[in-house]
Amino acid sequence: MPATYVRLGPKGYMVFKSYMKDAANIYNMPLRPTDVFVASYQRSGTTWTQELVWLIVNDLDYEKAAEIPITQRYPFLEGFMFFDEDILQQICEDMTKTDENYDREKFLETTKVMAKPVTPMLAAAPLTTTRFIKTHLPMSLLPPNILDTVKMVYVARDPRDVIVSCYHLARFLKTTNFRGDFKDFWNLFRRDLFSLTPYFEHVKEAWEKRDDPNMLFLFYEDLSKDLPASIRRVADFFGKQLNEEQMNRLCDHLSIENFKNNKSVNFEELRDSGALANGETFIRKGKAGGWRAYFDDEMTQQAERWIEDNLLDTDLRFPHIRH
Ligand code: A3P
């Protein structure tokens, strides 16, 4: 990948160099008691959780959810860093040579908007609105004591499924420009060389806050296994109640089949610019345990060891993994 990374903070999180232009504004961002953060390591079920949270807080306003793309309902706090100007120039040149669908003008126009930090826009949001914010930043890069003010829902997922999903994302978004195969990607990820790794530090930082009254910690696998139970937890967290009919409709709305066809959550607004690869979609398989089709025996053993080693100093346990 042609990006320039910086390792940030005591845990050495991998961020794109361009992150530094807004790092301090994010860290010092003024917060409001009405703010709602949905946080995760990327590809852990963030979008699924965002839609669930948004609908619960907005009293199941499906019409508005369909009308306004999720990218607009939730400013993406560090999203700008994925559209680093230096790498975009290089990608433009590469794509001109290799890609027939690519529209340079549209691509640059779209990515220019996405390369803008969202902190100024968040600061300007009227005080009467609830600010919904998406972030893949770990707790230590967010404002200190953030949970004294805002409500946060954090979602975690089996890292092996996260890695497979990140691998597909790296192919889906041409701006990532990843050229290797899955094994290359696995080796990159487990050495903490992918954006916002180290993965386990990320999850552990949020896990430590799981008992804070303003933190709701969810697992993707729990949503997958028993969606109504997770919906109930989210509703309780925001002080809302759902009757049976509302619950059924919400489960149906959030099912992978419906989600895949939901234009409001699929980032397809980027398709015209040629920034998305053919044959890949943002919402993909939506399965727990799909990693088995990607890991050979050697990688499976490496992953078991990797998970075991990283859980030695914590009581974090993934509900579905036998430890
Ligand atoms: P897969 O690539 O394994 O299918 P994020 O939103 O954090 O980027 O996470 C994306 C992952 O969540 C993708 O995983 C995606 O398919 C999955 N996902 C999104 N919506 C889902 C849903 N309604 N049900 C199950 N999985 C879903």
Side-chain angles (χ1 to χ4, degrees):
M1 282 184 258
T4 312
Y5 284 100
V6 173
R7 281 204 184 274
L8 200 57
K11 305 272 167 68
Y13 287 108
M14 288 277 281
V15 295
F16 291 103
K17 196 172 160 210
S18 59
Y19 179 72
M20 301 315 290
K21 70 179 171 201
D22 212 41
N25 291 334
I26 290 174
Y27 194 75
N28 297 311
M29 150 185 193
L31 299 166
R32 305 176 186 174
T34 47
D35 289 344
V36 175
F37 278 69
V38 173
S40 62
Y41 184 83
Q42 50 198 324
R43 304 309 281 174
S44 298
T46 329
T47 318
W48 199 12
T49 308
Q50 282 174 262
E51 182 77 343
L52 162 55
V53 166
W54 194 92
L55 282 167
I56 293 280
V57 176
N58 288 288
D59 297 322
L60 305 172
D61 191 343
Y62 291 100
E63 261 176 42
K64 202 166 163 196
E67 209 178 290
I68 313 174
I70 203 153
T71 44
Q72 284 175 36
R73 283 181 274 144
Y74 279 85
F76 182 12
L77 202 50
E78 72 287 1
F80 67 92
M81 80 168 180
F82 295 96
F83 299 89
D84 190 310
E85 273 167 41
D86 293 347
I87 58 170
L88 287 180
Q89 283 303 333
Q90 191 183 327
I91 288 165
C92 276
E93 274 161 39
D94 289 357
M95 278 172 36
T96 310
K97 287 182 216 139
T98 58
D99 200 323
E100 286 168 14
N101 296 328
Y102 162 67
D103 177 338
R104 189 186 173 100
E105 288 307 308
K106 257 198 182 141
F107 179 80
L108 285 174
E109 198 183 304
T110 312
T111 48
K112 204 170 152 188
V113 175
M114 304 193 75
K116 281 209 176 101
V118 295
T119 44
M121 179 178 103
L122 285 168
L127 288 170
T128 47
T129 59
T130 300
R131 300 187 305 180
F132 291 87
I133 297 163
K134 162 185 170 175
T135 185
H136 295 314
L137 292 174
M139 296 302 289
S140 57
L141 297 187
L142 291 169
N145 307 321
I146 183 171
L147 295 177
D148 290 350
T149 311
V150 315
K151 278 198 174 315
M152 180 182 289
V153 180
Y154 185 97
V155 59
R157 185 182 191 187
D158 184 325
R160 294 166 293 193
D161 281 333
V162 167
I163 293 167
V164 169
S165 194
C166 282
Y167 168 68
H168 280 282
L169 182 74
R171 292 153 49 116
F172 169 71
L173 273 183
K174 291 188 191 157
T175 48
T176 315
N177 212 16
F178 175 69
R179 307 271 174 79
D181 61 16
F182 180 71
K183 201 167 206 158
D184 297 328
F185 193 80
W186 157 241
N187 283 318
L188 190 100
F189 197 99
R190 72 192 176 104
R191 296 196 177 106
D192 302 332
L193 291 170
F194 190 59
S195 48
L196 294 164
T197 56
Y199 169 83
F200 282 100
E201 295 304 328
H202 197 298
V203 181
K204 282 186 228 174
E205 283 190 12
W207 177 252
E208 276 166 28
K209 302 284 180 194
R210 71 192 179 285
D211 293 329
D212 190 294
N214 277 336
M215 167 67 101
L216 179 66
F217 192 104
L218 301 174
F219 285 102
Y220 178 95
E221 290 74 17
D222 287 338
L223 272 98
S224 198
K225 200 168 146 204
D226 187 351
L227 187 56
S230 293
I231 292 178
R232 251 175 256 120
R233 288 189 65 201
V234 172
D236 284 350
F237 184 62
F238 289 104
K240 304 274 182 177
Q241 281 187 334
L242 268 68
N243 63 30
E244 202 183 323
E245 196 190 325
Q246 289 169 326
M247 175 65 87
N248 291 341
R249 179 165 182 201
L250 186 52
C251 283
D252 191 48
H253 178 84
L254 294 171
S255 72
I256 186 72
E257 296 76 26
N258 283 337
F259 226 59
K260 261 192 192 160
N261 296 319
N262 182 339
K263 288 211 167 58
S264 185
V265 300
N266 266 282
F267 294 73
E268 285 296 315
E269 57 267 29
L270 290 180
R271 181 75 64 190
D272 280 356
S273 68
L276 306 182
N278 290 335
E280 295 276 350
T281 50
F282 186 81
I283 307 292
R284 215 180 49 92
K285 289 263 184 325
K287 258 183 64 181
W291 61 268
R292 287 189 178 82
Y294 289 78
F295 282 66
D296 61 20
D297 288 348
E298 186 194 17
M299 289 189 270
T300 302
Q301 281 173 19
Q302 286 169 340
E304 272 172 20
R305 184 76 198 272
W306 177 64
I307 294 172
E308 216 173 277
D309 287 351
N310 278 288
L311 294 182
L312 280 176
D313 63 349
T314 169
D315 59 356
L316 164 68
R317 293 293 176 265
F318 291 84
H320 65 294
I321 302 182
R322 255 189 264 125
H323 294 283

